[in-house]
Amino acid sequence: MEQLNIIQQIQNKIRKTSWECMCPGCNQKAINSHRLQRNGILNKISPSHHYVEIKYKDVMYWFKNDEKFKYKNVGINKAISCPTFCNQHDTELFSEIEHGEIDLDTYRNQILFCYRTLCCDLRKYEIVLSEWREFAKCKEFKIPDCEATLEHIRKIIHEGEELRNFKKELEHELENPSNLYVFHHYTYPKIEVYASWSDGIRTEWEMPYGTVSKTSLCFIHIIPQEHSLEILIGYQKSNVCHQHLDYVNLWNGLDLESLGWMLTEAIANRTENIGISAELYERIKPSSKQRLCTYMSESINSNYNVPQGIDFNFFEGVI
């Protein structure tokens, strides 16, 4: 219990931190920004403006062997959000993808979705890094392997630097578009699901002068609209790995059952930045809800970094 209290105190301290806006040159306080906009996207799928996301049960989840996840009800102000942009930039910079029917085939709009998601990811890394630095210097917090903790912190720092480089690249694309990125856009019948995340895969190879690495970054956006569910996936045309190309192709030409399987796999293996409307959640079978929590707990106990094969469709019977 003492360890749990220490973790909670540290996380509460970091949550109260005032973060600056992620836009270059802006030092205004960041507000709670959504990965997918409240207006124009989230407000279109839930009449009650309530949503359900799957989260860790508590901060000590990695020490427990039982189920680690729970379904959490969130209001529209909290859905897939974190302090990322100031009020001005959150409103003005993304106005083109904020209102009305969004044109997902316009390159600038596609880059704006990616930029918003990347900045949220980078801010999340900064928050996690701050927490781990506090853990490392807290004398009361017993870390089994201090060197492993320091190595974990170094890894977070390195991944954060990689994201900053991609951020600069996207900012350049917004200012001077050069079609550096390729996008695939698929349209399906409306399902009250939303998600937005980036996925990085690093490739390493040995050279005479040392190890060289390169990261392929892929952006996946699941965007509900008035009458459809839009899948938008993008990556650098000159720097993409075969795993990302294979994943993109899996989203093409799906029937409704297959779409349900793909959405299930995304929730179970790909990202925590995903949710469904409260109304859709009520229609999901109780056995499916339980199966997803059990599956995710078993996966994290075995090897969280390796996606496991799923053997159930979370959306069976509702789409």
Side-chain angles (χ1 to χ4, degrees), residues 1 24 47 74 79 98 100 153 182 186 197 205 218 227 242 247 270 297 311-313 316-317:
M1 183 59 69
V74 295
E98 183 86 16
I153 291 174
V182 173
Y186 309 116
W197 77 95
W205 60 95
C218 183
H227 304 292
H242 70 87
Y247 186 64
R270 303 283 173 173
S297 297
D311 58 1
F312 66 100
N313 184 346
E316 182 182 8

Side-chain angles (χ1 to χ4, degrees), residues 50-53 70-75 78 278 281-282:
H50 284 86
Y51 310 86
V52 175
E53 298 174 0
K70 66 178 181 179
Y71 296 97
K72 182 178 180 181
N73 293 303
V74 295
K78 296 292 185 181
Y281 178 77
E282 290 302 317

Side-chain angles (χ1 to χ4, degrees), residues 74 84 88 103 121 199 233 242 270 286:
V74 295
T84 310
Q88 179 182 351
D103 187 353
D121 282 341
D199 179 66
I233 307 178
H242 70 87
R270 303 283 173 173

Side-chain angles (χ1 to χ4, degrees), residues 293-307:
C293 284
T294 301
Y295 170 87
M296 293 177 68
S297 297
E298 291 173 349
S299 295
I300 201 171
N301 284 336
S302 56
N303 186 345
Y304 188 64
N305 294 318
V306 179

Side-chain angles (χ1 to χ4, degrees), residues 101-113:
E101 201 69 22
I102 302 166
D103 187 353
L104 294 175
D105 294 317
T106 300
Y107 186 69
R108 177 174 174 81
N109 290 353
Q110 294 168 338
I111 294 296
L112 282 172
F113 274 108

Side-chain angles (χ1 to χ4, degrees), residues 20-28 89 167 171:
E20 288 188 355
C21 176
M22 296 290 285
C23 280
C26 183
N27 59 6
Q28 295 298 305
H89 285 118
K167 177 175 178 285
E171 288 165 353

